[in-house]
Amino acid sequence: MKNLPLKIRSKKLESRVDLTAMVSVSFLLIVFFMVTIDLAKPKSMSMGLPDKNPEWDGTISCGSGTEIRTITILLDNNNKLVSYQGLLSYPIEKPKMLSYDSNGIRQELHNKKKSIQEFYGDSSRGPIVIIKPSKKCNYKNLVDILDEMAIAKIDTYAIVNDFTPEESQLLVAN
């Protein structure tokens, strides 16, 4: 027999999948979702408002001094803005109509902040502003008043939608 050429057999390579990149991407996605879920949680702070007491005798306690620091801003339709300091039944300063410009609410907030800080002799004790938008108030006015809080550097403010009957009458009268 003749010498027949031997068949050359090809070497079979092992198939191997490199998962290094997949593991890196997986860990990045896990970290991303953990961070975004933590940031998406709503952060809120409870506000200590006085209890509604129907048996209130009308006397004002000035022990805490909160009445002096409290400024309430009522927002209504047609860019109507009414502000008063203290309690509406016994205001420190009577309610007045203001505008959304630099000579209106901005000037009022600066003046109130300055007078409150001078009264206490402490620059860390500024006004407590309660913003009350009515159901007729538009979104732009609410955003504008929040901008004014930032411009005037008012640290303590809250948005409350609880109108008293007296405040509703005050908006109608003005």
Side-chain angles (χ1 to χ4, degrees):
M1 276 186 122
K2 283 183 163 182
N3 281 341
L4 292 172
L6 295 173
K7 281 188 176 179
I8 300 175
R9 299 203 177 222
S10 63
K11 243 184 177 180
K12 290 190 178 177
L13 298 174
E14 287 185 32
S15 59
R16 185 173 171 257
V17 178
D18 187 16
L19 295 176
T20 307
M22 182 70 80
V23 171
S24 297
V25 168
S26 299
F27 279 117
L28 284 174
L29 285 172
I30 290 170
V31 169
F32 172 76
F33 285 118
M34 285 174 53
V35 168
T36 55
I37 287 171
D38 189 47
L39 293 176
K41 290 179 184 173
K43 307 240 186 304
S44 65
M45 182 173 65
S46 63
M47 187 173 132
L49 292 175
D51 294 333
K52 292 182 180 180
N53 186 357
E55 299 174 9
W56 182 59
D57 62 356
T59 59
I60 299 175
S61 167
C62 291
S64 66
T66 307
E67 296 84 11
I68 297 169
R69 295 177 61 197
T70 303
I71 300 170
T72 304
I73 299 174
L74 307 173
L75 306 175
D76 203 14
N77 62 346
N78 298 328
N79 297 332
K80 190 185 291 187
L81 183 139
V82 178
S83 173
Y84 63 90
Q85 185 176 3
L87 301 172
L88 186 57
S89 52
Y90 300 100
I92 294 171
E93 189 172 293
K94 292 191 179 205
K96 57 181 156 182
M97 289 282 296
L98 297 169
S99 61
Y100 284 95
D101 60 5
S102 60
N103 294 328
I105 188 66
R106 186 177 305 166
Q107 187 65 40
E108 183 74 11
L109 288 172
H110 280 294
N111 293 343
K112 296 288 182 196
K113 183 177 180 180
K114 185 178 176 185
S115 66
I116 290 169
Q117 288 174 343
E118 286 175 357
F119 177 79
Y120 285 105
D122 184 5
S123 62
S124 65
R125 293 189 74 173
I128 301 168
V129 178
I130 299 174
I131 302 167
K132 293 187 174 187
S134 71
K135 292 181 180 175
K136 299 177 198 172
C137 172
N138 61 25
Y139 186 72
K140 180 189 177 306
N141 289 347
L142 183 60
V143 171
D144 288 345
I145 201 68
L146 292 176
D147 288 341
E148 294 299 332
M149 294 295 121
I151 291 169
K153 296 185 175 105
I154 304 294
D155 298 325
T156 310
Y157 61 90
I159 301 171
V160 180
N161 62 354
D162 186 23
F163 269 80
T164 63
E166 293 83 13
E167 289 172 335
S168 299
Q169 290 174 355
L170 180 64
L171 283 178
V172 170
N174 287 323

